[in-house]
Amino acid sequence: MKKTLLAAALGLTMSCAYAAALPNVAILATGGTIAGVASSNTATTGYTAGAVAIQTLIDAVPAVKEYANVSGEQIVKISSNNLTDDILLKLAKRCNELLKDPKINGIVITHGTDTMEETAYFLNLTVKSKKPVILVGAMRPSTAISADGPMNLLNAVRLAADPNAADRGVMIAMNDQISAGRDATKTNTNHVHTFSSHGLGYLGVIAGGKNHFLRKVEKPHTYQTEFDISKVEKLPRVDIVYTHASADDAMVKAAMAAGAKGIVHAGSGNGSVHGQTEPALAEAVKKGTTVVLSSRTGSGVVNPNMAQYHKAGFIEGQHLNPQKARILLQLALTKTADQEKIKEMFLKY
Ligand code: ASP
C-alpha cells in the first residue's frame, strides 16, 4: 500500500516502484557449459563451452528480473578445465570490490562445472563479506533440449537476492539443490545431478520458487578466515601427485623440478603413500616443500596414519579432497611455511 501511494506521489508506475525495491545482484560470467553452444539441440557433448556472452544468458531468463536488478560482467570466457590461479585471484578481488558497494546485495558467478568446486572453495576462504556469493553452471549446453542452465541461473539469482542466504559461506546452486562451496564436489561426468557433498548432504533445496535451508557449515568461511588476497599477485605452486599400483618417485621429482612449494598427495585409502614414493616426499619436506596427505577415495577424513608419515612431517589433509586441499595449501603458503601452523589450518578450515 505504501509503495502504491509513493509511486502515485512520484508519478511512477507501480512496476517501476517495485523494480527499484528489488535487490541488486551482480552476475560475473566465466564461461562453462551454461554458456556452451553445440551443433544441434540434441548434442550434449562435443560442444564449445563458454561461447555465449553473459547478457544473452540473462536475456534468455527474463524471470530473473522479478527477483533482482541484475547486471552482467564477463570476467573470462573459458571452459573451466582451463581455470588458472590468476583467474581465481581476479574473481576473488572483483567479488570483494563489488561486495564493498552497499548497493550490491549479492553475487552470482556463472562457471563451468569441471572446476567449480575449486573456485567455490577458494572464494569461500577469500571473499570478505556476509553477502551471498553463488556459483552456478550447467551440465547441458545452452542449445540443448532441456538445458539445465536457465533454471539453475534463475535459482542462483533468487538465492543471491535472498537475505536469508547471507553468512552461510560461498554456495553452489545446481539442480534445485544448495551446496556448500567448501564441501561440494563434481561426482558425475554427464548427469545434471552431478554435485554432491557425499555424507555431509546439501545445505538446502530450492523448491516452489523458495530457498529452504536445512543446515550450516561449521567451519569458518569468508570474512571469518585469515586469508587476504588483496595484495597477492601470484599463488604459490602446489602440485597434486596421484598414487596408483606401482607408483614411484617420478611425479614427486617432477613437481620439485617445477618448483612446487607444496605437494598434495592423493593417496589410497586413509591417505596412504606407496613405499616407492615415500622417500621422495620425505626428501621434499626436508627441502622446504609442504606435503599434505589427501585421499583418492573421494570422501572421508584422512586421519594420522603411519608413524613414519608423522616423522617425515606430512600433514593430514583432513576432510578435503585433493583439489580442495591444493587450494587451502596454496592459501596457507601465502601466509606461512611453518608446518605446525599449516597443520592447524587444515584442522580449522
Ligand atoms: N567443460 C565444462 C566446463 O567446466 C563442463 C561444464 O561446464 O559442465 O567449463
Side-chain angles (χ1 to χ4, degrees):
M1 184 62 188
K2 265 188 192 156
K3 274 178 187 149
T4 315
L5 291 175
L6 181 66
L10 295 173
L12 298 171
T13 63
M14 248 177 65
S15 64
C16 274
Y18 279 121
L22 288 175
N24 297 311
V25 171
I27 305 184
L28 305 182
T30 68
T33 296
I34 193 168
V37 173
S39 53
S40 82
N41 65 0
T42 52
T44 55
T45 57
Y47 52 86
T48 308
V52 181
I54 185 56
Q55 198 52 48
T56 311
L57 293 184
I58 296 171
D59 291 345
V61 194
V64 295
K65 298 191 184 95
E66 292 169 27
Y67 298 90
N69 302 313
V70 295
S71 57
E73 185 178 328
Q74 197 79 45
I75 301 291
V76 284
K77 253 181 159 186
I78 60 160
S79 183
S80 78
N81 48 298
N82 295 320
L83 182 68
T84 62
D85 294 347
D86 289 347
I87 297 172
L88 287 175
L89 286 170
K90 187 174 176 184
L91 258 181
K93 286 175 187 174
R94 186 64 185 133
C95 284
N96 282 329
E97 210 169 56
L98 284 166
L99 293 168
K100 265 192 211 136
D101 182 345
K103 291 196 289 298
I104 295 289
N105 298 87
I107 292 181
V108 167
I109 299 169
T110 60
H111 199 292
T113 59
D114 286 2
T115 57
M116 187 183 285
E117 64 194 90
E118 280 145 274
T119 302
Y121 189 44
F122 184 79
L123 296 177
N124 190 60
L125 294 171
T126 55
V127 163
K128 298 296 164 203
S129 172
K130 289 186 181 179
K131 295 177 189 175
V133 175
I134 315 296
L135 279 97
V136 66
M139 288 299 285
R140 295 184 184 140
S142 67
T143 44
I145 304 170
S146 295
D148 51 334
M151 183 54 90
N152 286 347
L153 182 62
L154 178 62
N155 281 341
V157 170
R158 283 199 279 226
L159 198 51
D162 182 354
N164 195 26
D167 204 6
R168 293 177 186 272
V170 171
M171 293 177 276
I172 292 176
M174 291 277 299
N175 203 34
D176 295 344
Q177 280 149 342
I178 307 165
S179 297
R182 179 191 183 276
D183 301 332
T185 183
K186 186 172 182 178
T187 62
N188 190 281
T189 52
N190 304 118
H191 293 169
V192 292
H193 176 65
T194 189
F195 279 92
S196 168
S197 301
H198 295 297
L200 301 178
Y202 298 100
L203 291 185
V205 292
I206 305 163
K210 290 201 169 58
N211 305 316
H212 301 264
F213 289 102
L214 303 167
R215 73 171 179 97
K216 268 193 166 181
V217 171
E218 285 290 324
K219 300 283 185 182
H221 57 76
T222 55
Y223 66 95
Q224 299 158 344
T225 81
E226 62 212 88
F227 305 115
D228 173 10
I229 47 80
S230 59
K231 291 188 185 65
V232 176
E233 295 298 334
K234 203 167 168 45
L235 291 169
R237 183 181 178 112
V238 173
D239 289 311
I240 299 176
V241 172
Y242 197 102
T243 198
H244 50 85
S246 293
D248 60 15
D249 57 5
M251 294 301 172
V252 177
K253 284 186 173 160
M256 292 301 287
K261 298 282 173 281
I263 295 175
V264 173
H265 181 262
S268 50
N270 182 28
S272 296
V273 183
H274 200 295
Q276 296 178 162
T277 311
E278 204 184 313
L281 281 179
E283 190 55 29
V285 176
K286 280 194 192 130
K287 289 188 173 140
T289 295
T290 305
V291 171
V292 168
L293 301 182
S294 184
S295 173
R296 64 178 199 176
T297 55
S299 63
V301 181
V302 170
N303 293 295
N305 195 325
M306 313 290 283
Q308 76 258 25
Y309 294 176
H310 181 72
K311 213 169 142 225
F314 303 160
I315 294 169
E316 289 88 32
Q318 302 300 327
H319 199 271
L320 299 174
N321 68 22
Q323 54 273 31
K324 286 181 194 268
R326 175 180 174 273
I327 294 289
L328 179 55
L329 184 51
Q330 283 185 297
L331 287 170
L333 289 167
T334 62
K335 307 258 336 166
T336 181
D338 183 315
Q339 285 174 8
E340 281 312 307
K341 288 199 177 121
I342 295 179
K343 202 170 181 165
E344 275 167 32
M345 290 178 193
F346 271 86
L347 284 165
K348 189 169 175 189
Y349 300 107

